[in-house]
Amino acid sequence: MRTLTKRLFNSSRATTVTARSESETAAPRKDTEASLEAQIESELSEPDRETGRLEGDEPVARDTVTPRPSATANKHAQAHESGTQHVTGRARYIDDLPAPHGTLHAMVGLSQIAHGRVTRLDLDAVREMPGVVDVIAAQHIPGHRDIGPVFPGDPMFADETVSYVGQPLFAVAATSYAEARRAVRAAVVEIEPLPPRFDPVAAAEAGEFVRPTHVQVSGDWQQALTDAPHVLEAEQFVGGQEHFYLEGQACLVVPSEDEGVTVYTSNQHPSETQKLVAEVLDIPFHAVTVENRRMGGGFGGKETQAAPWACMAALLARRTGRAIRLRLPRADDTRATGKRHPFHNRYRLGFDSDGVIVGGDITLIGDCGHSPDLSEAVVDRAMFHADNAYSLGAARVTGHRARTHTASNTAFRGFGGPQGMMIVERAMDDIARHVGQDPLTVRKRNLYREGRDTTHYGQHVDQHPLMVEIIERLERSSDYWQRRDTIREFNRKSSVIKRGLTLTPVKFGISFTAKHLNQAGALLHVYTDGSVMINHGGTEMGQGLHTKVCQVVARELGIDFDSVRISATRTDKVPNTSPTAASSGADLNGMAARDAATQIRQRLLDFAAEHYQFDREGLHLENGKLVTDTGASTAVVSWGELIQAAYLGRVSLSATGFYSTPLIHYDRDSGQGRPFYYFAYGASVSEVSVDTLSGEYRVERVDILHDVGDSLNPAIDLGQVEGGFIQGMGWLTSEELKWNDDGRLLTDGPATYKIPTFGDLPPIFNVELLEGHPNSQASIYRSKAVGEPPFMLGISVWSALRDALASLTDYRVSPPLDTPATPERVLMAAEALRSQKPSAQKPEAENSNTGATP
Ligand code: MTE
Ligand code: HPA
Ligand code: MOS
């Protein structure tokens, strides 16, 4: 597996030059290039050739808990279905699609004021600008003007009031991109400013919410706090994050011959965009087709926030009768679209002298921006993860959704989960310092275990022993305790450079918390040459979903991977789909595809039994053949022949599949239920070195062990774990969002917003998938979702920075460290600790039971 990752990586480096020169010259393919491609192709698929085909798998009953032995990992290490296109630069993203003759370019006029009343929006001058063909604003919308995805609150164009800098006011279509850009600047916009609000805590105190507050209570948390031998409280600010997808928001809309449109969009949720475009145009859903082949990254930023641009382009397309391309400039993209929610979190927790939590109170305030968007579910997920992997005992968890005058914050890998976990990980370190124990010891003591295995929202945690196993294995493989001693010793002698080491666990709930979204459909065709086309509701954003779904179909039909292809996700092939989100893409769509493939298999076997007069019982499909099970598997008919015969025998070679996740439910009134089908687990150990005179630091070594059940594809899963960790680390360290006092985002591009680069990779980076532990639930081949959970492994880097800082006080004080923990913040924390100012530390009052609830 490691070899494969390396190969992929080397290939991509080797081909960069070719890919660029090709796109620059648009020259026809040359022989050298073709042979390079062939070479890449063979390298990419080599592991699969080495190890042979996927083994078959019996359908498993839902919800059996008997673990099966894990499949040998590298059996399924199929390369990404678009690997060759990715590395040769041939993969098409939205802006690469050939556009019809006469296509116009759209640009959007954005508010420069955070909060105000629009007194004048004069677009006459815009209309007069060179190349301009059409200009639209709110009054030109024939249908719905509010395109809020779940709740109202997102006008397609602001009308009377504006509520953030970057809010769309109007759009223009012109004959070139440059003309459209220039035209937008000719608008005369007068806005009477109203007082803006940027502080979510003040907003929460004033009762300014985008959605009502939700509370989960388990047991008598007040009594627990009263009785607890120790009580600590602290506040933690957790910063937001810009998605920084490489492909920005983009779409191409082509008007159709009827009243409709075809929308090509970089989009995680084609069905929702179909709905919104239809509602804006006031036409039936069947008049709108939405297509996506792949995205250059989504990360949650295209779950809801890809739709507005498609709606605008669709309206321009209908009005002008011409195709419309809309691609936001990066600075507009970062201003106009929402980010990860920043959170202000607070805990007040009671614990015993071993540091074991007995109960308490956790409050989360999510900064939602100006509208609800997905914030109801995001803050819910933060609440569901305020325990991370630990039993909170008798606890109350409260989640507020504060309204501020910024872009509407949205889905981002982890979907609130990371922000929720941060408060309890903060508490673990604080409690450990308080009782004078190593933080790992305290973390281990607080893990879910027998007798402490139910979450604060009432879900039983069945696989809790996995968490213990992962931590114990990682303790050994990372040599945690030995390194702990070495680091303490080093820190005693080194006055400026301090090292830190932390192990943090992750337990992440898998399922959409909105129950109805946990469904998926698929459409499978077998053509008469035996090649197979599978479509499903999920979208590809680099995470390898299409590869996994093709693997599922190949495995069910006993044919090789290359015989199965996915064209694109289209709303006219599979309808009413859920967003590709909540890490559930493979779980849901893999199952739907499997359902379709199973039907085709049954049909073929039934047909074969009759047609060839075989015993139906022993028939199966394997290695591209129809096989009779006569003890010594005799290959009798090839897949191609079988399909020909079935076609001539008038057997339908097309099927739809469907899946809905069983057993999940959540009652928002009582705050109790089983919202998640299962949990995914993982843990990471990070070591950092901090220069305490400058605040600069380095991540020296990272060890990760992550649970993906029986992996569907270990090569892809490893990539997800590595990428997720790095993205999580970036969130907590270098990625800082800064607004000026007027609410204008200053960090609007790569020059000012720092995502991790190549040089930020830990020099020692050991990543392993946990083997031998299939999912306890009947997920697709007992695998586990992998897209989001590894993101939260990045928390160990932040905690290791705190560990390094704590050494300045001989580990007596647990330093506050808001995120992102930039060198500036680290330096300020170090200076505060050095001067031993009491303000460096929230008072850690012993429980005097004064009852001062925060
Ligand atoms: N990986 C890549 N390369 N690009 C992405 O945009 N998005 C992440 C994760 N991994 C993302 C990614 C997010 S936010 C989610 S929810 C999952 O992929 C979605 O895909 P899945 O459900 O198929 O895992
Ligand atoms: N996760 C991600 N996206 C979502 C969810 C969720 O739980 N609910 C709605 N969209
Ligand atoms: Mo992922 S945040 O659920 O798109």
Side-chain angles (χ1 to χ4, degrees):
M1 282 147 13
R2 298 297 306 170
T3 336
L4 173 68
T5 316
K6 272 224 179 66
R7 276 206 191 107
L8 281 167
F9 171 62
N10 288 339
S11 310
S12 81
R13 275 222 300 213
T15 53
T16 310
V17 175
T18 315
R20 281 219 51 75
S21 56
E22 183 193 27
S23 67
E24 274 159 14
T25 59
R29 285 171 56 177
K30 288 186 218 85
D31 277 342
T32 46
E33 218 173 278
S35 65
L36 176 61
E37 191 174 311
Q39 186 191 326
I40 293 161
E41 185 89 64
S42 83
E43 278 191 29
L44 287 174
S45 43
E46 200 171 333
D48 191 45
R49 282 187 200 143
E50 276 165 12
T51 52
R53 284 306 320 145
L54 308 176
E55 45 134 45
D57 185 38
E58 289 307 305
V60 272
R62 285 179 174 181
D63 284 299
T64 51
V65 284
T66 346
R68 292 181 310 113
S70 190
T72 330
N74 63 9
K75 267 197 183 150
H76 312 304
Q78 172 68 50
H80 195 287
E81 44 83 25
S82 292
T84 308
Q85 286 94 323
H86 288 159
V87 301
T88 54
R90 260 185 213 111
R92 280 179 177 176
Y93 298 89
I94 296 300
D95 229 34
D96 303 320
L97 297 177
H101 180 68
T103 295
L104 301 173
H105 295 263
M107 196 61 60
V108 186
L110 307 174
S111 169
Q112 304 300 318
I113 301 289
H115 188 205
R117 227 184 322 274
V118 182
T119 51
R120 186 165 172 221
L121 180 61
D122 185 345
L123 302 173
D124 288 347
V126 180
R127 269 184 207 97
E128 298 308 314
M129 289 293 284
V132 170
V133 177
D134 196 15
V135 182
I136 52 171
Q139 69 271 22
H140 302 114
I141 302 171
H144 293 194
R145 291 186 178 196
D146 193 318
I147 53 171
V150 188
F151 305 101
D154 296 293
M156 181 168 121
F157 292 123
D159 194 0
E160 278 146 25
T161 58
V162 290
S163 32
Y164 72 99
V165 175
Q167 185 165 24
L169 291 167
F170 66 96
V172 338
T175 46
S176 76
Y177 190 81
E179 284 166 332
R181 258 191 118 154
R182 272 195 294 271
V184 160
R185 294 187 203 125
V188 180
V189 184
E190 286 170 14
I191 294 172
E192 189 186 301
L194 295 168
R197 196 195 304 273
F198 301 120
D199 178 1
V201 178
E205 274 158 11
E208 270 294 317
F209 297 124
V210 295
R211 295 291 304 156
T213 294
H214 181 48
V215 185
Q216 297 160 334
V217 181
S218 66
D220 192 343
W221 61 275
Q222 281 154 311
Q223 194 63 44
L225 277 177
T226 312
D227 296 346
H230 307 270
V231 172
L232 278 183
E233 58 180 274
E235 280 175 29
Q236 173 74 40
F237 170 73
V238 182
Q241 188 176 24
E242 158 60 29
H243 298 86
F244 231 101
Y245 23 62
L246 291 186
E247 180 193 31
Q249 301 285 357
C251 61
L252 167 66
V253 179
V254 183
S256 52
E257 61 182 21
D258 55 16
E259 77 277 40
V261 283
T262 303
V263 181
Y264 304 88
T265 161
S266 187
N267 201 307
Q268 290 175 246
H269 200 346
S271 282
E272 188 167 82
T273 293
Q274 175 196 24
K275 165 188 186 281
L276 293 171
V277 165
E279 287 174 350
V280 161
L281 296 180
D282 197 21
I283 57 177
F285 291 15
H286 68 203
V288 179
T289 300
V290 176
E291 172 172 326
N292 172 262
R293 173 59 184 89
R294 64 171 66 78
M295 280 160 271
F299 304 113
K302 295 169 183 169
E303 181 172 340
T304 57
Q305 306 214 358
W309 325 110
C311 292
M312 292 170 202
L315 181 51
L316 287 167
R318 278 316 326 169
R319 284 167 56 93
T320 59
R322 292 163 75 168
I324 304 287
R325 255 192 201 296
L326 196 163
R327 166 169 53 87
L328 290 183
R330 181 64 67 173
D332 284 5
D333 188 317
T334 54
R335 289 219 166 82
T337 63
K339 334 229 152 284
R340 178 184 296 286
H341 293 59
F343 267 70
H344 285 264
N345 296 337
R346 189 181 296 168
Y347 76 80
R348 179 172 167 80
L349 289 171
F351 50 96
D352 66 18
S353 48
D354 288 333
V356 177
I357 295 175
V358 293
D361 193 22
I362 290 177
T363 305
L364 312 175
I365 302 173
D367 181 347
C368 302
H370 80 101
S371 76
D373 185 79
L374 294 169
S375 297
E376 174 111 315
V378 168
V379 177
D380 276 2
R381 190 171 276 275
M383 297 170 68
F384 287 127
H385 290 83
D387 58 341
N388 191 8
Y390 317 108
S391 166
L392 295 178
R396 178 176 76 168
V397 175
T398 306
H400 298 296
R401 287 114 178 118
R403 185 196 299 277
T404 54
H405 291 103
T406 65
S408 194
N409 289 323
T410 192
F412 196 145
R413 207 169 192 171
F415 204 78
Q419 296 97 310
M421 280 182 195
M422 280 293 287
I423 192 63
V424 74
E425 291 304 339
R426 161 80 199 252
M428 284 299 142
D429 289 338
D430 295 355
I431 292 170
R433 303 303 176 211
H434 193 80
V435 298
Q437 295 277 346
D438 189 90
L440 178 54
T441 307
V442 169
R443 284 190 163 91
K444 286 168 76 175
R445 285 179 185 157
N446 277 289
L447 293 177
Y448 282 105
R449 59 167 177 274
E450 206 61 43
R452 280 171 66 101
D453 53 7
T454 304
T455 65
H456 56 285
Y457 50 89
Q459 174 153 0
H460 176 243
V461 182
D462 75 328
Q463 280 192 314
H464 57 79
L466 264 193
M467 191 77 257
V468 177
E469 180 171 339
I470 288 172
I471 291 178
E472 285 176 354
R473 281 207 207 176
L474 203 52
E475 256 176 296
R476 281 196 300 277
S477 67
S478 73
D479 207 9
Y480 180 90
W481 293 106
Q482 179 62 47
R483 285 162 70 203
R484 164 62 69 212
D485 289 346
T486 312
I487 286 170
R488 273 186 178 258
E489 194 47 39
F490 174 91
N491 288 342
R492 245 192 297 278
K493 292 186 185 139
S494 168
S495 59
V496 174
I497 307 292
K498 299 288 183 184
R499 289 195 179 164
L501 180 72
T502 301
L503 184 155
T504 55
V506 168
K507 163 183 135 288
F508 191 76
I510 302 299
S511 289
F512 284 99
T513 58
K515 183 177 169 181
H516 69 278
L517 294 177
N518 295 285
Q519 57 172 309
L523 175 66
L524 192 152
H525 303 317
V526 184
Y527 296 104
T528 51
D529 66 347
S531 67
V532 174
M533 178 70 80
I534 176 73
N535 281 275
H536 59 89
T539 55
E540 175 64 40
M541 56 194 103
Q543 86 279 37
L545 172 62
H546 286 350
T547 312
K548 289 180 173 179
V549 173
C550 286
Q551 283 180 280
V552 167
V553 171
R555 183 160 161 172
E556 291 299 324
L557 298 179
I559 54 180
D560 67 43
F561 181 84
D562 296 332
S563 307
V564 185
R565 192 164 292 178
I566 288 189
S567 51
T569 310
R570 280 179 69 107
T571 54
D572 61 353
K573 292 205 170 183
V574 180
N576 313 327
T577 56
S578 296
T580 309
S583 305
S584 65
D587 283 26
L588 299 173
N589 297 288
M591 278 296 203
R594 185 187 196 190
D595 178 33
T598 305
Q599 293 171 46
I600 293 286
R601 190 183 58 226
Q602 304 294 357
R603 261 182 235 163
L604 288 171
L605 297 183
D606 289 347
F607 164 77
E610 202 185 306
H611 184 73
Y612 301 109
Q613 295 292 300
F614 289 143
D615 176 16
R616 172 70 177 80
E617 274 300 287
L619 279 184
H620 58 278
L621 298 168
E622 185 183 291
N623 293 325
K625 296 189 174 75
L626 169 72
V627 191
T628 53
D629 194 10
T630 55
S633 295
T634 330
V636 285
V637 182
S638 77
W639 167 259
E641 282 172 76
L642 173 64
I643 295 305
Q644 272 294 318
Y647 167 71
L648 294 173
R650 299 191 296 173
V651 174
S652 162
L653 293 173
S654 175
T656 59
F658 186 77
Y659 176 73
S660 64
T661 313
L663 297 169
I664 47 176
H665 59 93
Y666 180 66
D667 175 12
R668 268 185 126 254
D669 290 335
S670 64
Q672 298 288 298
R674 177 193 175 166
F676 303 118
Y677 189 34
Y678 62 88
F679 295 101
Y681 300 89
S684 62
V685 182
S686 293
E687 180 177 336
V688 299
S689 304
V690 179
D691 179 334
T692 55
L693 288 184
S694 71
E696 280 178 280
Y697 54 82
R698 269 205 317 247
V699 180
E700 305 282 1
R701 172 172 169 181
V702 174
D703 293 75
I704 289 173
L705 184 55
H706 193 80
D707 154 43
V708 292
D710 264 356
S711 177
L712 285 175
N713 185 323
I716 283 174
D717 288 356
L718 266 182
Q720 286 290 296
V721 175
E722 292 171 350
F725 170 83
I726 295 291
Q727 196 172 36
M729 176 184 86
W731 167 52
L732 294 171
T733 56
S734 63
E735 295 184 38
E736 186 165 38
L737 293 165
K738 281 217 183 258
W739 289 264
N740 71 9
D741 291 345
D742 299 325
R744 185 178 179 80
L745 184 65
L746 300 173
T747 47
D748 62 356
T752 44
Y753 186 77
K754 293 298 180 191
I755 59 172
T757 64
F758 206 77
D760 297 312
L761 277 174
I764 306 174
F765 195 21
N766 301 318
V767 183
E768 254 191 88
L769 303 177
L770 181 73
E771 291 196 34
H773 291 281
N775 196 339
S776 67
Q777 306 302 305
S779 58
I780 182 79
Y781 306 140
R782 303 276 165 172
S783 65
K784 284 191 181 181
V786 69
E788 294 168 290
F791 180 90
M792 289 146 276
L793 296 170
I795 294 175
S796 61
V797 173
W798 166 78
S799 186
L801 290 170
R802 295 188 74 204
D803 187 58
L805 289 167
S807 73
L808 289 168
T809 67
D810 200 22
Y811 301 101
R812 279 174 296 105
V813 173
S814 182
L817 187 60
D818 286 345
T819 74
T822 54
E824 291 87 334
R825 280 210 172 92
V826 170
L827 178 61
M828 287 189 295
E831 288 188 340
L833 288 172
R834 275 229 170 79
S835 60
Q836 290 290 335
K837 275 191 214 120
S839 64
Q841 173 72 352
K842 270 247 134 193
E844 298 194 4
E846 264 324 281
N847 195 359
S848 53
N849 297 325
T850 48
T853 318

